[in-house]
Amino acid sequence: MTMFRYVRGFRNVFSSRYLASQSFSLVPHTHQTQTHTQQNQTFITTTSSVRGIRRERKNIQPRSAAALTHTTNTAVELAFNSVVKIFTVSCSPNYLLPWQNKSQRESMGSGFVIHGRKILTNAHVVADHSFVLVRKHGSPNKYRAQVKAVGHECDLALLIVDSHEFWDGMLPLEFGDIPFLQQAVAVVGYPQGGDTISVTKGVVSRVEPTQYVHGASQLMAIQIDAAINPGNSGGPAIMGNKVAGVAFQNLSGAENIGYIIPVPVIKHFISDVEENGKYIGFCSLGLSCQTTENVHLRNHFGMQRGMTGVLVNKINPLSDAYRVLKKNDIILSFDGVPIANDGTVPFRNRERITFDHLVSMKKLNEKAVVRVMRDGQELELSITLQPIQPLVPVHQFDKLPSYYIFAGLVFVPLTQPYLHEYGEDWYNASPRRLCERALRELPKKENQQLVILSQVLMDDINAGYERLADLQVLKVNGTEIDNLEHLCQLVENCTKDSLHFDLDDNRVIVLNYETAKIATSRILTRHRIPSSMSADLIDAQNNLQLTSSN
């Protein structure tokens, strides 16, 4: 099993982060979290933007002592006036008790100054932050920083510092290109084992899409043989006198295998923030595709000799591809670039990369031309690309979980962070039915959520229902629910004497409505819960009442 971890430095151990779709591990120090995906399928849900990549191999530096020494010396000179140490105080929500937070924790990472008086770092360095400080090299002072934008999907964040004193002598770093194999790089940051700046040298060993542990996304990454340790997160990898990427994770159980986020992904994140005022995300086709390497499979679908492509298995109903493509279509090319039977396309000189790369080159709402074979005929179709959210969120950083409590019944939307509360082996320890739906089920409409009864806070009113936890809620008084807000409205606006919940596995809960309303206040007081619903549901209720009164 391939295991990755991101590299944030900690002063105390914290719980596992939220992943999906691959078998990876987040190991800040000791905790591990496994993720899984369907077998024998390639999920074309691209989430990177890597534009402007050169296709010819030029000026490749040899792996020589002179090259490494030159890169290291230049990196040190740049780092003194650009790289900063980041101190974060953060507090994650408790998804089993969504009205509470977990214990506060402190962590450390690295970052560096870019144009516009901004500091670039990793998203996992400031995830769930409540307080952020930065310290520049050679200074005893720490300065308050504000998080301007966060892209958890690409594990990047922008910070701003208001203090004019902080910016005295600070110089922004310039971005370079994607390095070629064997080019020398130097990683600069503040890894564990000391408090001063550190420079680690190495060379590029691989460039390919890789699982980003923090955001559970598949994006282009650069593998290097330089050590990237806890605390290095967010530090620049410098090639020559320019930034080649941002250090963010390493390979667990291996020596000197680290990963950096390449410049095209960084530029996509920054342009997103500059053009939209916030981070929007990376586009996706919303497809699940299968390779066609088996000759019998190709013959079955009528692929002629020399014809190559991938087979469409699933289409997300919320994607534009759902309107254009059909199951069992063979995608032959994307924007005129032929797709091989293994799902790859040409990349640079004698290299290949998954065709997700081509999807990732597209901007928000940009169109792509795909050539497909359907029922023996070749068609040329146009698809509009947009970011697509899964039915069950993979992560919920920097936001409080939603919940609704009625008569001691605690209702929450299903998320992967909720399942991760079952521990390191959550895939096997969490309820099997919920886990399978979280990883495989597709949405049918906008704003749809899978709402579950997470637990029952015991009281006379709900006695006998305590074993019905972790079941999906399907209907309230015969009405199918769309999401937690919809369930809340149906319960709060109930006009019948009894309240009837239809649950998964043909289970039923029936309560006297007025008696249950009285019991709700009693139960909240007993468990010291400040409100029967989360802040987002309170706002939704207030907006609904305001709209009704107008």
Side-chain angles (χ1 to χ4, degrees):
M1 179 182 294
T2 303
M3 307 293 283
F4 287 96
R5 64 180 181 179
Y6 63 66
V7 285
R8 172 168 59 174
F10 289 87
R11 293 182 182 173
N12 58 311
V13 179
F14 71 102
S15 64
S16 298
R17 285 294 180 185
Y18 323 132
L19 305 179
S21 70
Q22 295 292 340
S23 296
F24 293 109
S25 169
L26 272 73
V27 193
H29 283 313
T30 58
H31 287 222
Q32 296 183 350
T33 301
Q34 294 182 339
T35 56
H36 299 259
T37 186
Q38 295 178 3
Q39 298 296 316
N40 304 321
Q41 287 189 338
T42 301
F43 280 83
I44 310 300
T45 52
T46 303
T47 53
S48 65
S49 179
V50 278
R51 294 182 282 275
I53 295 178
R54 296 173 296 178
R55 294 188 178 275
E56 295 183 2
R57 193 179 178 97
K58 299 179 181 179
N59 301 324
I60 301 178
Q61 298 180 6
R63 183 178 182 177
S64 64
L68 292 176
T69 301
H70 171 72
T71 299
T72 304
N73 292 338
T74 305
V76 172
E77 295 172 2
L78 291 171
F80 287 154
N81 298 316
S82 302
V83 180
V84 300
K85 188 169 186 176
I86 300 173
F87 304 82
T88 304
V89 178
S90 54
C91 196
S92 300
N94 185 335
Y95 286 89
L96 294 181
L97 302 173
W99 51 89
Q100 296 181 2
N101 284 332
K102 295 179 180 178
S103 299
Q104 177 177 285
R105 65 181 183 272
E106 299 177 357
S107 61
M108 294 165 286
S110 306
F112 60 96
V113 176
I114 62 174
H115 283 289
R117 287 200 165 190
K118 299 181 183 71
I119 297 172
L120 184 66
T121 186
N122 285 141
H124 72 254
V125 171
V126 295
D128 294 323
H129 68 278
S130 58
F131 200 79
V132 180
L133 296 171
V134 298
R135 189 187 70 196
K136 55 186 181 180
H137 175 68
S139 173
N141 301 321
K142 298 176 183 177
Y143 300 87
R144 180 71 185 276
Q146 305 291 335
V147 178
K148 177 178 174 62
V150 179
H152 293 291
E153 185 180 35
C154 58
D155 201 1
L156 292 170
L158 287 175
L159 312 182
I160 56 175
V161 179
D162 293 331
S163 172
H164 294 291
E165 178 184 340
F166 169 81
W167 294 105
D168 289 342
M170 298 299 286
L171 299 176
L173 294 180
E174 301 284 345
F175 292 113
D177 297 320
I178 294 180
F180 288 96
L181 302 183
Q182 291 297 298
Q183 283 193 292
V185 296
V187 178
V188 186
Y190 292 87
Q192 66 179 11
D195 193 47
T196 59
I197 203 165
S198 169
V199 181
T200 307
K201 58 185 179 181
V203 298
V204 174
S205 53
R206 185 177 292 156
V207 180
E208 65 180 358
T210 301
Q211 182 81 4
Y212 279 41
V213 178
H214 177 71
S217 56
Q218 192 84 3
L219 298 173
M220 178 175 283
I222 301 170
Q223 180 182 311
I224 59 176
D225 68 357
I228 297 179
N229 298 308
N232 264 130
S233 287
I238 298 175
M239 182 178 64
N241 61 352
K242 293 186 178 181
V243 174
V246 177
F248 75 116
Q249 66 187 36
N250 60 22
L251 186 63
S252 180
E255 293 185 6
N256 296 342
I257 297 182
Y259 293 85
I260 61 176
I261 302 171
V263 169
V265 176
I266 299 170
K267 288 185 175 180
H268 180 280
F269 165 73
I270 294 174
S271 64
D272 233 12
V273 176
E274 291 177 348
E275 294 172 9
N276 303 292
K278 62 179 181 179
Y279 173 73
I280 299 297
F282 294 86
C283 294
S284 170
L285 274 175
L287 303 179
S288 169
C289 292
Q290 179 181 339
T291 62
T292 59
E293 296 173 283
N294 185 277
V295 63
H296 304 288
L297 180 69
R298 294 197 299 271
N299 292 338
H300 175 77
F301 286 99
M303 296 177 67
Q304 304 298 320
R305 178 180 292 272
M307 184 179 289
T308 63
V310 291
L311 174 67
V312 176
N313 297 131
K314 278 182 175 182
I315 309 175
N316 192 312
L318 300 186
S319 68
D320 189 56
Y322 191 78
R323 174 187 61 84
V324 177
L325 299 178
K326 294 183 178 180
K327 187 179 186 302
N328 293 333
D329 279 351
I330 303 292
I331 302 180
L332 306 174
S333 67
F334 185 94
D335 277 347
V337 180
I339 301 173
N341 292 329
D342 64 353
T344 63
V345 294
F347 172 70
R348 301 201 297 197
N349 181 36
R350 298 182 65 184
E351 296 179 67
R352 298 191 69 82
I353 195 170
T354 59
F355 102 88
D356 278 358
H357 166 67
L358 299 182
V359 181
S360 69
M361 295 171 65
K362 294 296 183 177
K363 295 182 179 181
L364 177 67
N365 292 326
E366 190 174 355
K367 293 185 180 298
V369 177
V370 294
R371 189 166 187 81
V372 304
M373 188 184 72
R374 179 184 300 166
D375 299 328
Q377 295 184 338
E378 293 189 31
L379 305 172
E380 195 168 88
L381 307 171
S382 178
I383 300 175
T384 302
L385 300 179
Q386 293 178 326
I388 301 173
Q389 300 302 320
L391 174 60
V392 177
V394 174
H395 57 74
Q396 293 277 276
F397 297 109
D398 302 324
K399 63 183 297 186
L400 296 175
S402 299
Y403 71 89
Y404 176 63
I405 303 174
F406 186 79
L409 309 177
V410 182
F411 302 102
V412 300
L414 179 62
T415 62
Q416 283 204 33
Y418 174 84
L419 296 176
H420 295 165
E421 295 287 4
Y422 281 86
E424 297 174 3
D425 191 25
W426 64 270
Y427 181 76
N428 295 312
S430 61
R432 173 56 46 198
R433 193 172 299 183
L434 294 183
C435 191
E436 292 299 315
R437 288 175 180 172
L439 296 178
R440 291 171 172 80
E441 196 160 330
L442 296 175
K444 298 177 182 178
K445 61 180 75 172
E446 290 281 356
N447 301 318
Q448 183 183 356
Q449 292 177 327
L450 295 184
V451 179
I452 62 172
L453 173 61
S454 66
Q455 62 177 304
V456 178
L457 305 176
M458 283 303 299
D459 187 81
D460 291 337
I461 189 70
N462 54 45
Y465 295 143
E466 62 272 11
R467 296 184 180 180
L468 299 182
D470 283 327
L471 290 176
Q472 183 182 349
V473 184
L474 305 177
K475 297 179 181 180
V476 175
N477 283 347
T479 301
E480 289 189 11
I481 62 170
D482 297 329
N483 47 49
L484 184 60
E485 181 183 336
H486 187 206
L487 180 146
C488 178
Q489 292 176 3
L490 292 173
V491 174
E492 292 292 316
N493 299 326
C494 178
T495 57
K496 298 182 179 180
D497 293 336
S498 64
L499 193 61
H500 188 283
F501 295 97
D502 287 311
L503 308 180
D504 197 11
D505 203 22
N506 295 314
R507 304 292 179 168
V508 175
I509 291 178
V510 180
L511 298 169
N512 179 275
Y513 185 66
E514 291 300 326
T515 306
K517 285 183 64 177
I518 297 172
T520 299
S521 299
R522 179 175 68 244
I523 295 170
L524 293 177
T525 301
R526 180 186 305 146
H527 290 271
R528 300 186 181 92
I529 301 174
S531 174
S532 63
M533 62 183 76
S534 53
D536 59 322
L537 295 184
I538 293 175
D539 292 340
Q541 287 291 108
N542 292 337
N543 291 336
L544 185 62
Q545 293 175 3
L546 185 62
T547 303
S548 300
S549 62
N550 291 336

